[in-house]
Amino acid sequence: GDCAVLKRGDVFKAVPVLRRRKIIFEKQWFYLDNAIGHIYGTTFEVTNGGNLQPKQEVEETTTETKEAGTDNRNIVDDGKSQKLTHDDIKALKDKGIKGQEIVQQLIENSTTFRDKTEFAQDKYIKKKKKKYEAVITIVKPSTRILSTMYYAREPGKINHLRYDTLAQMLTLGNIRAGNKMIVVETCSGLVLGAVMERMGGYGSIIQMYPGGGPVRAATSCFGFPKPFFDNLHEFPLSKVQSLLSGTFSTETLPSDPEDNALVEEESNGLTEEKQTSLQDTEEEPATEAAMEITQTEEQETMDVNAEDVEFKQNKEKENKENVREKQIKQFERRKKLMETAALLREKNADGLIVASKFHPTPLLLSLLEFVAPSRPFVVYCQYKEPLLECYTKLRERGGVINLKLSETWLRNYQVLPDRSHPKLTMSGGGGYLLSGITVVLDKGKSDCSNSEALKMEEPSPKRCKVQDLHC
Amino acid sequence: MSFVEYGDMIKDGDTAIVFLGHESMFPVKVQHGTVTQTKYGVIRHSTDLIGKKYGSKVTCSKGGWVFILHPTPELWTMNLPHRTQILYSTDISIITMMLELKPGSIVCESGTGSGSLSHALIRTVAPTGHLYTVEFHQQRAEKAQEEFREHGVEHLVTVTNQDVCKNGFGVSNIADAVFLDIPSPWEAIGHAKSALKAEGGRICSFSPCIEQVQRTCLAMEEYGFTEINTLEILLRVYNVRTISLQIPDLGNAAEDNSSAGFDSSDPSNQGSPCSNLQQGTVQFKSGVPLREMVGHTGYLTFATKS
C-alpha cells in the first residue's frame, strides 16, 4: 500500500507497492512481492522469474596491476573490437548468467581493452556494468527524491520547476511547523507535498485550486500519515473574488451537480434550519427514484412473488441510502468550505506560495490580501517576463518590501581522482522566483521606503557596490 | 516572536529586523527604554516598537520611516554579525532539501561558525527535532550559545566545544543527517558515520576547494557511503528596470531634409506597442542582471549511509 520509488542509477520511478502487480522499470519486468518487509534503501536484483532478490555484497576483485595502455593514438574504432555478438550476449543472458559474469566476458572478448588507459578501462567497465548489472534500489519517497524524479521524467507536469528552485521556495517562504500557509499550485501536488513535509503535520495549509478540485497525484506519493491531512484545507480560486468582496456563498460550488433540493442561504455558520431542510428535501428525490424503479420493474416482471417484493424493497432502500449519502457528502463539503472561508477571512496567513501555470499577477494581487504583515511570499514562474509585470504591479500596490527576482544555477560534478570536472550536461533553466515580505498596507501612500522610489529607474554606476551584490 | 514561531506583536526582549530600504536592514534587540539610531532619526523602543504589530511602518525622529520585521533565519543570515564566512540562503536551501530535513529530524553540524546555517536548521527541525552543533573555537561556541538563548531556541540545540575530527559530535547512531563545513572534512567522515542512524542517514560536506572535495569523496566511498553526488548552486538576481533605448538616426531613403528614419508621428509606425511617443526612444521592461554576481561559494557533496 506504500508508494515506493524505484531507483537505478539516476533514474527514478514512483510505484504503488501492491502484490502480484507487474512493474516495468528500465526495460525490466518484475513483481514487488519479495521486496515487502525489507527496509528502504535495499538494493535488489531481478531474477529470471521476475522476482526481486536482495543483492549480496560482493567483494570487488582486487586489482592486480592490470595491463593498460598510455593513450589512444593507436586505438582504431572499427566496431569490430568486441568478439561476442549480439546473439552471444543474449544467449548468456538467457542462460541466467549474472550481469557481473557478462561484463567479465565482454572484457575478455574485447581486443582493445588492454590497450585502453586505466581511466578508459574504468569508464568501459562502469558503462557495461550499468547496462548489464541490473540492480534496483527501493528508496523512501521524500521531497528530494520526488522533485528530482518529476523534473527528470515529467517536467511538463510541474511547470518545469527544477528541484533546487523548489528548495529555494521552501526556505525563502520560511516553511516550517506551525505556519498557516496558503498554497496555489498546478504541479500535480508536488509543491503541496513538499510544503506538507516541511510542516510535519503542524499548522495548517489552505490550498487554492482552479477548476473543480485540486490535483494531488504527487502528494499521495509522499506517504504522509493520515493526521497530516486533518489541517489541509482547500478553496476554489473561482470563489476568491466573492470572498474578497464579501459576497461569498456556498450556493454554487465549482463542480456541483444541479441540486435544487438544497437551497442555501449565505451565512457564516451552520444553523439548525439548514439541517432540518436537508432532511425534508432528502426524502423527495429518494422516493422519486424508488418510484421510478418500481414502475420499470412492474413492467418487466409478470409474476410478483414474495422474494421479488423483498428484493425490490431492498433496492429501494439502497437507492435511498445512496442519495442520502450523496447529500451528506455535499453537506460536509459545504461545511468545510465555510470553515475554510472563515480561515481565509482572518487575513492572517503566515505566507503564500504560488507555483502554477497561470499568470502570477492576478493571483498575487488578490491572495496577498489574506496574508498577515511581515510574512514572506514566493512566486514561481517558468518564464521571467510575467514576473517582471508582477513586480511592477506589486510596487504599485504597495504593502510589500524586499522584492527579489531570481533564478538559481545548478551544476553537477563528476569527482574522481585526477578526473574531476563538471558533468557534461546541465539543466538550461529551472524557472524564476519572485519573493518578498509583506508589510502593513498603507492605503493611499506608496510603501516604497524613502530611497526605494528612486530604484525604479536604472541606477547610476556609482550606486552598485560590490558588497550590496553579495547574496 | 520566536525564531521558530510567528508572533504578531513586538515584545520586550524580541530580536526584530529594522528595514530601511533595498538591501538595507539591521537587527535590533528590543528593550524598554532603549533608543536606536538610524539615518532617518531615532527609534524609541518603548513608544515606537513595543506593542506595535510586526510589519508596521515606524516614523523616526527626522521624519523618514522604516519597517519593523519579524525575524526569520533568512533575515538573520543577511544581518547577523559575522565571526566567520557564512553560508547564505541559496546553499542553505539545497542543503535542507537534500538532507531531507523536516520537523523531528536530528541533525549534526560542524563547524557552527557564525550560526547562519544553525538557525535555519533549528527552524526546520522544530518543534520535535534537535541540532547538535560542534565548534572547536571557544569564543565562537560561546557566542553561538548566547545567540541561541537570546533567540529562544536553546531547547532545540546543543553546542559542543570540541574538535569534530578528533572527538566526533558527541552522539551516536541517532542522526538523520550530518553537515560538515570544516577545513578537513575527510577526517570527520568516520565520526559522521557513527553519529548517523543505522540506515538511510544523509551526509553533506561543503568545501570551497575541489581538492578537498576529492579527498572527501574518497573517504565517503571508503566508509561505505552511497549515492555520492557533488554539485554547486549559484544565485542569479535580476533588477526590474524600465529601459529606454534610443532609435539610431539612419538617415532617410530619399535625399531631402525631412526628419530621421523612424518618424514617430507617422501613423504607419504605431505598430510597436512599446514605442515612446517621445522622439526616437523605445521603452521596455527588463530583468537586468547585476553587474557582478557571486561566482562560487563552495562545492556541496551529498551521500547516503547504507
Side-chain angles (χ1 to χ4, degrees), chain A residues 1-270:
Chain A
D2 279 354
C3 176
V5 177
L6 307 173
K7 170 175 140 61
R8 185 177 168 193
D10 284 330
V11 183
F12 296 92
K13 182 176 180 173
V15 294
V17 179
L18 297 164
R19 291 187 194 274
R20 295 189 305 276
R21 171 78 70 92
K22 197 184 227 184
I23 307 279
I24 302 172
F25 176 60
E26 291 286 277
K27 297 190 193 151
Q28 290 189 291
W29 294 293
F30 50 90
Y31 297 97
L32 292 171
D33 298 43
N34 290 358
I36 297 175
H38 286 270
I39 42 173
Y40 277 109
T42 313
T43 305
F44 300 88
E45 278 178 319
V46 184
T47 63
N48 267 351
N51 287 311
L52 290 176
Q53 194 183 308
K55 179 162 200 257
Q56 259 72 37
E57 274 291 328
V58 177
E59 265 297 316
E60 285 291 323
T61 42
T62 41
T63 44
E64 323 103 22
T65 28
K66 283 191 283 220
E67 206 187 335
T70 44
D71 55 45
N72 65 7
R73 69 182 83 197
N74 293 321
I75 300 181
V76 177
D77 185 7
D78 55 8
K80 297 193 199 130
S81 40
Q82 176 56 247
K83 290 307 161 199
L84 292 181
T85 64
H86 216 62
D87 294 326
D88 289 333
I89 298 171
K90 194 165 184 304
L92 288 175
K93 271 205 256 189
D94 290 338
K95 261 200 266 178
I97 305 276
K98 280 212 161 166
Q100 244 177 304
E101 247 312 297
I102 297 182
V103 176
Q104 197 56 41
Q105 288 290 318
L106 286 167
I107 295 172
E108 283 167 20
N109 283 285
S110 162
T111 54
T112 51
F113 187 81
R114 60 203 172 99
D115 298 325
K116 291 181 198 266
T117 63
E118 256 184 70
F119 290 167
Q121 288 177 350
D122 215 32
K123 199 168 173 181
Y124 181 88
I125 294 172
K126 272 208 180 96
K127 189 173 164 192
K128 295 305 174 194
K129 271 195 173 162
K130 193 169 176 202
K131 189 165 180 190
Y132 295 104
E133 280 186 27
V135 283
I136 295 169
T137 314
I138 302 186
V139 295
K140 193 162 185 212
S142 65
T143 304
R144 167 179 81 96
I145 302 261
L146 292 172
S147 60
T148 324
M149 180 187 86
Y150 264 94
Y151 188 70
R153 287 184 93 90
E154 295 181 290
K157 287 217 172 127
I158 54 170
N159 299 105
H160 294 260
L161 169 68
R162 198 174 57 209
Y163 46 96
D164 59 301
T165 312
L166 176 59
Q168 300 301 312
M169 293 177 79
L170 298 170
T171 300
L172 289 173
N174 196 18
I175 310 295
R176 63 178 172 192
N179 281 2
K180 178 177 173 181
M181 296 301 305
I182 299 179
V183 176
V184 185
E185 61 114 297
T186 57
C187 299
S188 299
L190 176 67
V191 175
L192 176 67
V195 171
M196 286 174 76
E197 187 183 81
R198 290 282 273 266
M199 288 178 62
Y202 298 91
S204 62
I205 303 174
I206 301 168
Q207 184 185 9
M208 319 281 272
Y209 59 88
V215 177
R216 292 184 181 157
T219 321
S220 47
C221 287
F222 281 84
F224 295 127
K226 266 213 154 94
F228 273 44
F229 292 89
D230 290 346
N231 284 315
L232 171 60
H233 310 265
E234 46 279 331
F235 194 84
L237 282 171
S238 56
K239 289 288 190 180
V240 167
Q241 282 297 78
S242 66
L243 192 62
L244 287 172
S245 61
T247 58
F248 173 71
S249 94
T250 56
E251 212 165 295
T252 40
L253 288 181
S255 67
D256 227 40
E258 279 162 26
D259 206 307
N260 33 29
L262 288 165
V263 176
E264 288 273 351
E265 293 168 285
E266 182 190 1
S267 69
N268 280 337
L270 289 148

Side-chain angles (χ1 to χ4, degrees), chain A residues 177-402:
Chain A
N179 281 2
K180 178 177 173 181
M181 296 301 305
I182 299 179
V183 176
V184 185
E185 61 114 297
T186 57
C187 299
S188 299
L190 176 67
V191 175
L192 176 67
V195 171
M196 286 174 76
E197 187 183 81
R198 290 282 273 266
M199 288 178 62
Y202 298 91
S204 62
I205 303 174
I206 301 168
Q207 184 185 9
M208 319 281 272
Y209 59 88
V215 177
R216 292 184 181 157
T219 321
S220 47
C221 287
F222 281 84
F224 295 127
K226 266 213 154 94
F228 273 44
F229 292 89
D230 290 346
N231 284 315
L232 171 60
H233 310 265
E234 46 279 331
F235 194 84
L237 282 171
S238 56
K239 289 288 190 180
V240 167
Q241 282 297 78
S242 66
L243 192 62
L244 287 172
S245 61
T247 58
F248 173 71
S249 94
T250 56
E251 212 165 295
T252 40
L253 288 181
S255 67
D256 227 40
E258 279 162 26
D259 206 307
N260 33 29
L262 288 165
V263 176
E264 288 273 351
E265 293 168 285
E266 182 190 1
S267 69
N268 280 337
L270 289 148
T271 57
E272 294 244 39
E273 294 168 353
K274 281 217 188 104
Q275 287 180 321
T276 43
S277 76
L278 183 68
Q279 276 165 6
D280 287 341
T281 50
E282 159 228 315
E283 289 298 328
E284 270 172 74
T287 39
E288 273 174 26
M291 279 177 8
E292 256 184 61
I293 289 170
T294 37
Q295 272 165 10
T296 48
E297 286 187 341
E298 270 173 7
Q299 282 163 21
E300 284 171 11
T301 53
M302 299 293 274
D303 304 295
V304 180
N305 54 22
E307 280 176 7
D308 277 352
V309 170
E310 206 182 293
F311 177 74
K312 267 186 247 165
Q313 283 176 345
N314 285 339
K315 257 225 147 173
E316 278 172 30
K317 235 190 189 176
E318 223 180 276
N319 287 324
K320 262 196 210 172
E321 275 170 25
N322 283 344
V323 178
R324 187 195 228 112
E325 240 182 76
K326 222 178 111 182
Q327 288 181 324
I328 289 178
K329 280 205 180 129
Q330 208 129 66
F331 181 77
E332 292 294 318
R333 262 189 87 195
R334 279 157 201 258
K335 183 170 173 222
K336 276 204 146 196
L337 198 61
M338 296 300 256
E339 284 167 3
T340 310
L343 286 174
L344 284 168
R345 274 200 204 93
E346 287 172 6
K347 299 200 175 182
N348 62 358
D350 292 319
L352 172 64
I353 300 290
V354 177
S356 75
K357 60 188 179 192
F358 299 112
H359 199 290
T361 309
L363 284 173
L364 272 208
L365 290 178
S366 50
L367 298 178
L368 277 178
E369 294 290 310
F370 301 115
V371 181
S374 190
R375 299 291 184 269
F377 60 89
V378 191
V379 190
Y380 165 81
C381 186
Q382 192 181 342
Y383 309 98
K384 205 198 319 181
E385 289 77 5
L387 291 179
L388 295 178
E389 202 224 281
C390 201
Y391 181 104
T392 311
K393 286 284 176 338
L394 284 177
R395 276 263 171 270
E396 284 169 23
R397 170 193 184 269
V400 294
I401 53 164
N402 216 25

Side-chain angles (χ1 to χ4, degrees), chain B residues 99-109 121-122 124-133 155-158 169-179 192 195-197 200-203:
Chain B
L99 288 182
E100 301 184 345
L101 299 179
K102 50 187 180 262
S105 296
I106 309 288
V107 201
C108 292
E109 169 199 28
L121 295 176
I122 291 169
T124 301
V125 307
T128 44
H130 201 89
L131 170 67
Y132 293 93
T133 186
H155 59 292
L156 292 162
V157 58
T158 303
F169 292 94
V171 294
S172 26
N173 295 342
I174 60 162
D176 296 297
V178 167
F179 177 81
L196 282 170
K197 60 188 180 187
R202 295 278 293 164
I203 184 172

Side-chain angles (χ1 to χ4, degrees), chain B residues 3 11 15 95 127 136 157 171 183 218 230 259 272 275 286 305:
Chain B
F3 268 76
K11 297 197 297 291
T15 300
I95 291 167
F136 66 5
V157 58
V171 294
L218 223 52
T230 304
S259 51
S272 165
S275 55
S286 175
K305 175 178 173 177

Side-chain angles (χ1 to χ4, degrees), chain B residues 135-188:
Chain B
E135 170 59 51
F136 66 5
H137 190 280
Q138 195 189 341
Q139 277 80 18
R140 289 203 292 261
E142 284 169 7
K143 182 79 177 128
Q145 179 68 65
E146 191 188 304
E147 275 175 0
F148 296 141
R149 196 182 316 120
E150 259 177 43
H151 297 160
V153 297
E154 51 176 344
H155 59 292
L156 292 162
V157 58
T158 303
V159 182
T160 309
N161 179 209
Q162 68 193 27
D163 181 350
V164 69
C165 298
K166 297 205 175 69
N167 304 312
F169 292 94
V171 294
S172 26
N173 295 342
I174 60 162
D176 296 297
V178 167
F179 177 81
L180 295 168
D181 180 3
I182 56 177
S184 312
W186 56 91
E187 290 177 12

